[in-house]
Structure formats: structure tokens, C-alpha cells
Amino acid sequence: MTDDRSAALATQRRIAASDIRLPEHILLQGTSGRILREALQLFAERGFYGTSIRDLAVACEIRSATLYSHYPTKENVLAELVRIGHEEHHRRLTEAAAAGPADPASRLRRVVRAHVLAHAEFPMLAVVADNELHALSPELAGPALMLRAAGRQLLIDIIDEGIAAGVFAVPDAFLAVTAISGMGMRVANWYDSALPYEPYEVADTYADFALRITGGSP
């Protein structure tokens, strides 16, 4: 492999975003907050298994022993980020579902828009919460999995209502939700604030895509 090729591969990243962002209500003061911020970037770019405790301690400019005094294991750091990501996502979905006209098309548009915005506004957090969940033990992953299932069921119920009302025309609500959810989740991998798209523009366009998938308008 040529030196140029090696250098190019070495600079490739798993995620386009470079902004380290967490929801405003998350307290990031002090060492615990610094650990979360640095872990967010490392886990998003290298993955949980590609990040060592030493990597995290060096990034935080602390000793490994100091890190352990705030989080018992590296897995607990990941669990906290996964919790934050899933709780923020679920809060947005449930608020969107209840915040306007109750017809299925309007509800689907709002919920899909909220789903995409969560992934565009917090891409690093979404990538870690979505892609690194598998690294957690069943006990630590359980709360996030329950929130994920609840969000999926929310969308399935909306689509089922639309099918019953003759608004949507899809052969299988679960497969439609899987396609719509996966489409939105991928936004976290490619979206960056340097792109010529605002998060709301991406969210509005994907909401239109979701309506087309379900056979609604537009």
C-alpha cells in the first residue's frame, strides 16, 4: 500500500460531524462532564471497542484512576451516553406526536421530523447511542431498548391508524417503520453543520419521504 493511500485511510473518519454536542439540560461542568464530552467524540470516531481507558484519560488530561472515581468502568460511560441519547430522542418523539392535529398524516410528519432532527442536531450522540448500544450488557442496555421499542411502536400505531382510515397504503406497517427509522438514523453519519443544509431542511424533506413511503401525501 502506498504512503499516500495509507495516509488517506488513516484520516478517514466514521462520522462526518465534528461538533461535540449534548442536549442543553445535560450538566457538563467538572471532570464528569469532561469525561462525557471526550468519550462522545472518541466513541463516535473510533467505536467503544476502539477506545481504551487510557485513550479517554489522555483526552481528558486526567489519570485513569481519576476517571474510575467518576465512572466505575468504560461501559458505564457508554451507558450514560446511550441513556442521554435515547431519552432525548424519545422525549422529542412523544412531544411531537401530541403537539398538533391528530390525523395520521400530520402526526407521522411531526414524529419523523423530530426523529430526523434529533439525529441532525446531535449526530455524534446519535451515532454512539444507535451504533454502540450492542456493547452494553443486557442490564445496562435494557432502559434504552425499552425506549427504542416504545418509539417504534408509536410510529407503527400512527401508520396502522392511517391504514385503517384509508390515508396510508402500505402492506406492512412494521416494515414501513423500519425503512423510515433507518433512513433517519443514517442522517447522523453524514450530516455536518458545514453542509449547505439546515437540520430543519433535512427533517422536512425526510418527513415528505416518509409520507411517500406510506402512500400518503405529498
Side-chain angles (χ1 to χ4, degrees):
M1 184 178 293
T2 66
D3 291 341
D4 289 345
R5 175 67 171 164
S6 298
L9 289 174
T11 58
Q12 286 180 345
R13 300 171 65 242
R14 293 168 19 132
I15 181 172
S18 56
D19 297 333
I20 306 172
R21 299 187 63 222
L22 286 165
E24 291 182 358
H25 66 275
I26 303 301
L27 299 177
L28 294 176
Q29 290 83 5
T31 302
S32 294
R34 188 160 73 252
I35 291 169
L36 283 183
R37 285 179 57 85
E38 296 299 336
L40 178 61
Q41 182 173 22
L42 288 171
F43 293 163
E45 293 186 351
R46 303 183 187 180
F48 176 76
Y49 292 115
T51 303
S52 68
I53 281 290
R54 184 178 184 281
D55 293 333
L56 186 51
V58 169
C60 295
E61 298 181 343
I62 58 175
R63 299 173 59 185
S64 297
T66 302
L67 193 151
Y68 284 126
S69 70
H70 292 271
Y71 295 95
T73 67
K74 185 179 66 165
E75 185 186 10
N76 289 100
V77 181
L78 174 61
E80 180 65 4
L81 291 171
V82 168
R83 179 193 67 79
I84 292 168
H86 279 80
E87 287 184 354
E88 175 69 12
H89 180 258
H90 187 69
R91 178 187 66 79
R92 289 177 176 228
L93 294 192
T94 54
E95 289 181 358
D103 63 284
S106 296
R107 292 182 73 210
L108 179 64
R109 173 180 283 281
R110 293 196 307 270
V111 172
V112 171
R113 191 176 186 277
H115 172 59
V116 174
L117 276 174
H119 287 76
E121 292 178 351
F122 303 103
M124 281 193 181
L125 179 61
V127 163
V128 171
D130 292 339
N131 296 351
E132 303 301 323
L133 176 61
H134 67 91
L136 295 179
S137 66
E139 179 183 4
L140 289 177
L145 289 172
M146 291 179 64
L147 289 174
R148 182 176 291 192
R152 180 172 59 246
Q153 190 61 51
L154 173 62
L155 277 168
I156 290 173
D157 290 344
I158 292 172
I159 292 178
D160 279 338
E161 290 173 16
I163 293 171
V167 176
F168 299 148
V170 290
D172 189 299
F174 174 80
L175 293 181
V177 168
T178 301
I180 291 167
S181 298
M183 180 175 66
M185 289 169 66
R186 288 294 297 172
V187 169
N189 292 93
W190 64 260
Y191 184 78
D192 183 68
S193 58
L195 291 172
Y197 301 101
E198 294 294 332
Y200 76 88
E201 294 177 299
V202 179
D204 287 342
T205 301
Y206 274 53
D208 287 343
F209 292 162
L211 287 172
R212 292 191 179 101
I213 288 172
T214 58
S217 59

